[in-house]
Amino acid sequence: MSETLAARKCKPCEGGVPPLTPEEAGKLLTQISGEWALIENAHAIQRKFTFRDFYRTMSFVNALAHIANIEDHHPDLEVGYNYCRVKFSTHAVKGRSENDFVCAAKVDLIPLL
Ligand code: HBI
């Protein structure tokens, strides 16, 4: 039985490998929450989280940052009073890699206040 994406670890990525094809990305997309979308032009995946207030938004952002630091794979974030838009892409390959989907799967497990 293959392990879930959330159980995997991100692999160090300094480039030199091709990004995922849209088909490969589409297959991995089925293994994370349906709220994530393939952003084709940015070669990324993106999900918007909404919250009741700024306190809850920043609590989530801090939990997300902890995951990014542990995995050494980092999102682009847009943060407002009651929302956080999370975008994962792998800059070293100028596209998407499995790391993006591993981090998205871990972010999906953050308990929301
Ligand atoms: N984060 N989103 C993203 N993309 C990268 O290519 C990336 C990263 N964080 C760290 C990193 N690359 C590398 O420094 C390590 O994988 C070695």
Side-chain angles (χ1 to χ4, degrees), residues 59-78:
S59 178
F60 170 79
V61 168
N62 281 294
L64 171 60
H66 184 60
I67 290 171
N69 289 332
I70 289 173
E71 295 300 324
D72 194 22
H73 193 71
H74 306 89
D76 295 307
L77 300 178
E78 178 188 332

Side-chain angles (χ1 to χ4, degrees), residues 1-4 8:
M1 164 87 171
S2 65
E3 67 187 348
T4 62
R8 295 184 193 173

Side-chain angles (χ1 to χ4, degrees), residues 11-14 72-75 88-93 99-100:
K11 302 178 182 70
C13 181
E14 299 287 9
D72 194 22
H73 193 71
H74 306 89
F88 279 111
S89 66
T90 302
H91 309 142
V93 299
N99 287 351
D100 300 315

Side-chain angles (χ1 to χ4, degrees), residues 31-105:
Q31 298 177 49
I32 57 177
S33 159
E35 299 289 321
W36 291 91
L38 294 182
I39 310 294
E40 282 313 324
N41 58 341
H43 303 298
I45 56 173
Q46 181 173 279
R47 180 180 176 179
K48 182 177 182 182
F49 295 82
T50 55
F51 303 91
R52 275 189 281 164
D53 54 32
F54 188 71
Y55 170 84
R56 285 165 171 79
T57 302
M58 292 313 296
S59 178
F60 170 79
V61 168
N62 281 294
L64 171 60
H66 184 60
I67 290 171
N69 289 332
I70 289 173
E71 295 300 324
D72 194 22
H73 193 71
H74 306 89
D76 295 307
L77 300 178
E78 178 188 332
V79 181
Y81 169 75
N82 62 350
Y83 77 92
C84 177
R85 184 171 284 114
V86 183
K87 186 167 78 171
F88 279 111
S89 66
T90 302
H91 309 142
V93 299
K94 297 182 176 60
R96 290 176 292 245
S97 73
E98 183 185 88
N99 287 351
D100 300 315
F101 293 87
V102 167
C103 284

Side-chain angles (χ1 to χ4, degrees), residues 17-28:
V17 293
L20 294 174
T21 65
E23 293 74 24
E24 290 167 329
K27 283 186 188 150
L28 288 168

